[in-house]
């Protein structure tokens, strides 16, 4: 391999060594004015601040519980400072809680506060996080990478207790991050193969070099380094940008002789500017002069497309169903020489088509074929465009497989998945490490002919898939060998659509979309694959039977109401039993699910029936006159319908009307006690055998509903709530009138259909 322009390096280096030396002699004794200028603020730096609206934090149960903030760092930023502010609102008795804040460059942070397992073949990096209380904090990052940065925050994991809204103190924890950046307004351009002289005193020098596509290596050298007060070359060179959670910045400290001060960067990031910062390690009044030289190693790609396929195999038919194409002799010489005599090829570049299917759903496939030819002397590279700014909210899936007959026993297909630039050093290393990133290694062999990789929330960048055939024992065996590897590359919102026990939900933050899995039936994890606390199918069926069949106890108050000619109350109880049964049949996760109507409709009807059942029972116990009773029944039902539409989960939306009915009942009972000069109800048997058991059951039911329900025991406690509510209703219903016979409600409708008869001839109707 040769470096472009290497022939002129010797002359350029000689001139570079003399130039800084002459300038250093002129400035060896800086004037007091010059020394005073260095103490002032650097006029090259410009500060900017960005802020986003605060968000209320939630206790963590799944990824949607975390609040996500999306910032964009401008280019040429040398300092990034996060200003984190937390404030508490609501009830002053709220306790202080620990807040966890995550930071990541390029994509939302992959977090796991619950310690659950990820799906098989999933590769994640540990998140960079801090924990803080209700106070302010700041984090500084020097030389941050320009582009998307994400901040996520949440409260500790939520408890399993189901709490009623309105019975617990309202605690609000408000989190707001601000981003303060300091960027360089004047940055020097470092041109390849051209020495750039510099003088360092107290201020650092900011440079940047553009790395074009197909750059194989970047070599940075410090030449002609001299200092007026110290020996050696006291220069600290920082190359690259800082990223989180991993930081792969390269640091070069040139304290040794100048000729050894060099930094070689294999596979630097393609098609972008690379930041270089030089600082003096000498004293505040010591001048250091040197020249910086950047050399780029060119990489000649052989671009594989449909025309090359036709030229190399004109007589071979393409099998698109299997994706196999036998190698031709033309393929085996691609990595050795160029037909035009321009130097060797360093990679086989396969053109990849991006097919956008849906939101966060993309398919990648090589043009005109389904397989990739892999050789031993030249890496095969595929480029995946994930740099639209909206691709980092899904999961990148890579699936590779090869036929057993095409892989020899002593050969191995090494695969590296990298961002920003491909890994090209298979001949020297197999760790998939490029200049500023650690890739994801895979391998295909006769033992394992398939390889899969899942990357949640991939960084916004161009991703590269590099493949090469490796012979570990005798490299000579691989010289004339080649393997066809089939690929399946895609970006999906959620892996396997979160499985049967999860729901894939799209989340949004200021126009940025990302996906997360909401699990059920005790399943947990990033894709709802962690079954450590999962329910078995038997437990799921048992839960459904408990929650649905427990509603059959409402048959007792229904029959008792019909027996005592309380037809309106019987209708309300039948309505409640029906919708509660089918709501809980639809509310269950997993396989045991039956929905006869929309879930939201069933839930609304269940809540409405429960509230109206309590309302009509209390009014029935008040023994009001028929006209007033039915007016209050209708008005109470309308009030319940309105309040549940406003806030279905609010406890006082249901308790308020019920307490009003209870006040009416107590008022009527007190009035009768004063009017009759006797306690009401008058019979002690009524108190002992009916009212006290009914009140006790209702009290126990309310206690269980408000303080004992958790996510794990919901199926049992809520079933007990159904039974206690139905039982207390049966006990609390008032007895029938003494002059009324049981089961004689139909005798009150004496006119049958004539009850709707209008004596005006033109309005006569029969129903």
């Amino acid at each position: 391999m040769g470096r472009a322009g290497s022939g002129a390096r010797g002359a350029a280096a000689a001139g570079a060594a003399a130039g800084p030396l002459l300038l250093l002699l002129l400035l060896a004794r800086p004037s007091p004015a010059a020394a005073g200028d260095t103490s002032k603020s650097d006029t090259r730096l410009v500060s900017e601040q960005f802020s986003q609206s605060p968000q209320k934090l939630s206790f963590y149960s799944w990824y949607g519980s975390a609040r996500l903030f999306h910032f964009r760092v401008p280019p040429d930023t040398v300092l990034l400072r996060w200003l984190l502010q937390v404030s508490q609102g609501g009830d002053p008795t709220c306790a202080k809680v620990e807040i966890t804040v995550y930071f990541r460059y390029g994509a939302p942070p992959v977090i796991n506060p619950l310690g659950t397992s990820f799906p098989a073949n999933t590769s994640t990096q540990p998140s960079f996080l801090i924990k803080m209380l209700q106070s302010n904090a700041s984090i500084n990052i020097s030389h941050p990478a320009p582009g998307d940065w994400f901040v996520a925050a949440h409260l500790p994991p939520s408890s399993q207790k189901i709490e009623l809204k309105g019975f617990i103190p309202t605690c609000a924890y408000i989190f707001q991050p601000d981003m303060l950046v300091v960027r360089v307004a004047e940055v020097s351009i470092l041109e390849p193969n051209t020495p750039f002289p510099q003088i360092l005193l107290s201020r650092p020098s900011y440079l940047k070099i553009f790395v074009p596509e197909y750059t194989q290596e970047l070599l940075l050298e410090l030449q002609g380094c001299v200092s007026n007060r110290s020996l050696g070359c006291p220069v600290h060179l920082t190359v690259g940008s800082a990223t989180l959670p991993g930081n792969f910045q390269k640091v070069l400290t040139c304290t040794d002789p100048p000729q050894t001060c060099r930094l070689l960067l294999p596979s630097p990031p393609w098609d972008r500017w690379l930041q270089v910062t030089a600082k003096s390690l000498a004293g505040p009044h010591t001048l250091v002069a040197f020249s910086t030289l950047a050399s780029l190693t060119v990489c000649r790609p052989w671009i594989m497309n449909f025309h090359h396929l036709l030229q190399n195999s004109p007589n071979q038919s393409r099998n698109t169903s299997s994706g196999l194409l036998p190698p031709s002799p033309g393929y085996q010489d691609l990595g050795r020489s160029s037909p035009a005599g321009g130097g060797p090829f360093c990679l086989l570049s396969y053109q990849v088509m991006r097919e956008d299917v849906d939101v966060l759903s993309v398919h990648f496939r090589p043009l005109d074929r389904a397989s990739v030819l892999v050789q031993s002397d030249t890496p095969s590279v595929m480029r995946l465009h994930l740099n639209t700014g909206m691709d980092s909210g899904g999961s990148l899936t890579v699936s590779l497989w090869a036929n057993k007959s095409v892989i020899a026993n002593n050969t191995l297909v090494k695969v590296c998945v990298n961002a920003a630039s491909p890994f090209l050093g298979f001949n020297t290393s197999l760790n998939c490490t490029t200049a500023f990133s650690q890739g994801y290694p895979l391998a295909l062999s006769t033992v394992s002919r398939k390889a899969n990789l899942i990357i949640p929330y991939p960084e916004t960048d161009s991703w590269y898939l590099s493949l090469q055939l490796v012979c570990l024992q005798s490299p000579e065996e691989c010289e004339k060998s080649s393997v066809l590897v089939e690929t399946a590359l895609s970006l999906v919102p959620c892996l396997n659509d979160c499985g049967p026990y999860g729901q894939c939900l799209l989340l949004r933050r200021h126009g940025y979309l990302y996906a997360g899995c909401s699990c059920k039936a005790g399943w947990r994890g990033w894709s709802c694959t962690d079954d450590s606390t999962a329910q078995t199918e038997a437990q799921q069926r048992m839960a459904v039977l408990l929650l649905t069949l427990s509603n059959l106890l409402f048959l007792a108050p229904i029959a008792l109401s019909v027996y005592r000619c309380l037809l309106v109350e019987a209708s309300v109880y039948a309505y409640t039993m029906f919708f509660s049964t089918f709501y809980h049949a639809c509310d269950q996760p997993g396989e045991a699910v039956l929905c006869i109507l929309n879930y939201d409709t069933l839930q609304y009807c269940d809540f409405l029936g429960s509230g109206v059942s309590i309302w009509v029972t209390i009014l029935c116990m008040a023994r009001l006159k028929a006209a007033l009773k039915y007016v209050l029944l209708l008005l109470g039902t309308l009030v319940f319908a309105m309040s549940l539409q406003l806030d279905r989960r609010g406890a006082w939306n249901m308790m308020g009307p019920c307490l009003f009915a209870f006040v009416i009942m107590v008022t009527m009972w007190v009035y009768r006690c004063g009017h009759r000069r006797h306690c009401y109800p008058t019979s002690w048997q009524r108190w002992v055998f009916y009212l006290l058991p009914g009140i006790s059951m209702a009290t126990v039911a309310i206690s269980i509903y408000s303080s004992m329900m958790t996510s794990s025991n919901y199926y049992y406690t809520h079933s007990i709530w159904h039974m206690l509510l139905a039982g207390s209703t049966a006990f609390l219903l008032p007895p029938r009138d003494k002059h009324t016979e049981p089961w004689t409600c139909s005798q009150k409708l004496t006119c049958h259909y004539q009850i709707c008869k209008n004596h005006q001839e033109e309005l006569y109707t029969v129903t």
Side-chain angles (χ1 to χ4, degrees), residues 753-764:
Y753 70 86
Q754 296 178 359
I755 193 172
C756 296
K757 180 178 179 180
N758 193 322
H759 291 284
Q760 296 182 8
E761 187 68 25
E762 67 274 9
L763 298 178
Y764 181 82

Side-chain angles (χ1 to χ4, degrees), residues 651-719:
W652 288 107
N653 289 357
M654 181 177 293
M655 295 295 295
C658 295
L659 290 177
F660 179 73
F662 183 77
V663 171
I664 295 176
M665 183 196 72
V666 172
T667 303
M668 293 304 300
W669 283 16
V670 171
Y671 170 77
R672 291 190 178 97
C673 289
H675 182 72
R676 299 180 181 184
R677 307 287 183 179
H678 195 278
C679 182
Y680 183 85
T682 58
S683 173
W684 65 270
Q685 293 91 344
R686 180 68 185 169
W687 282 97
V688 174
F689 297 109
Y690 294 96
L691 293 181
L692 291 180
I695 294 174
S696 301
M697 296 176 68
T699 304
V700 175
I702 294 175
S703 300
I704 293 176
Y705 189 83
S706 60
S707 61
M708 296 181 61
M709 283 190 185
T710 63
S711 300
S712 56
N713 66 10
Y714 173 80
Y715 312 105
Y716 312 106
T717 55
H718 200 76
S719 300

Side-chain angles (χ1 to χ4, degrees), residues 40-288:
K40 299 180 181 179
S41 60
D42 196 340
T43 57
R44 300 171 299 172
L45 303 180
V46 179
S47 62
E48 297 176 345
Q49 187 169 359
F50 303 89
S51 179
Q52 288 191 8
S53 59
Q55 295 191 59
K56 180 181 177 182
L57 299 182
S58 301
F59 290 94
Y60 188 87
S61 59
W62 67 293
Y63 198 88
S65 306
R67 297 296 177 257
L68 188 69
F69 298 85
H70 180 201
F71 293 90
R72 188 163 186 84
V73 176
D76 303 328
T77 298
V78 296
L79 177 63
L80 168 62
R81 174 174 295 175
W82 299 107
L83 304 177
L84 311 177
Q85 305 177 27
V86 179
S87 59
Q88 178 179 329
D91 198 316
T93 61
C94 295
K96 290 187 176 181
V97 297
E98 189 178 60
I99 298 172
T100 307
V101 186
Y102 303 84
F103 303 87
R104 190 186 177 193
Y105 164 75
V110 180
I111 63 179
N112 189 19
L114 303 179
T116 57
S117 62
F118 285 86
N121 305 312
T122 301
S123 181
T124 60
Q125 298 178 355
S127 300
F128 177 83
L129 60 92
I130 65 168
K131 295 182 181 293
M132 55 185 296
L133 295 175
Q134 283 89 325
S135 59
N136 298 335
S138 63
I139 294 180
N140 296 336
I141 302 176
S142 299
H143 306 288
D148 295 332
W149 282 80
F150 293 86
V151 179
H154 63 79
L155 299 177
S158 60
S159 62
Q160 296 293 322
K161 185 178 180 181
I162 300 177
E163 298 175 332
L164 292 180
K165 185 179 180 180
F167 283 91
I168 56 176
T170 302
C171 301
Y173 303 94
I174 310 302
F175 177 77
Q176 179 179 7
D178 293 338
M179 184 180 72
L180 177 65
V181 298
V182 178
R183 62 181 181 87
V184 184
E186 299 178 2
V187 183
S188 302
I189 304 298
L190 183 60
E191 298 182 1
N193 306 307
T194 301
F196 185 81
Q198 301 177 75
I199 299 294
L200 295 181
L201 185 57
S202 60
R203 298 178 181 180
S205 175
Y206 301 105
L207 310 172
K208 64 179 181 180
I209 179 174
F210 184 78
V211 181
E213 195 173 3
Y214 302 115
T215 298
Q216 191 170 5
E217 288 180 349
L218 170 62
L219 177 63
L220 290 175
E221 296 180 275
L222 297 186
Q223 299 177 349
C225 184
V226 292
S227 176
N228 63 341
R229 294 188 181 181
S230 62
L231 299 177
C233 185
V235 177
H236 181 85
L237 207 65
T238 303
V239 184
S241 303
T243 59
L244 295 178
N247 185 12
F248 293 89
Q249 280 182 307
K250 296 298 186 295
V251 177
L252 179 62
T253 302
C254 300
T255 57
D256 295 331
Q259 58 270 20
T260 61
C261 192
R262 59 177 58 189
L263 179 64
L264 181 63
L265 301 175
S267 298
W270 288 357
D271 219 4
R272 69 182 60 185
W273 290 95
L274 188 63
Q275 297 182 2
V276 180
T277 303
K279 294 183 180 180
S280 174
L281 298 178
H285 303 294
T286 302
L287 288 175
V288 180

Side-chain angles (χ1 to χ4, degrees), residues 316-326 366 368-373 399-406 449-450 483-488:
Q316 295 177 353
S317 61
R318 297 168 58 247
N319 190 343
T320 58
S321 61
S322 62
L324 297 178
L325 182 65
D368 304 307
R369 63 188 304 173
S371 58
V372 177
L373 183 68
S399 297
L400 308 172
W401 62 94
N403 195 339
K404 183 177 181 180
S405 59
V406 298
R449 294 182 291 109
K450 295 183 179 180
V483 177
L484 284 173
V485 177
E486 299 185 47
T487 63

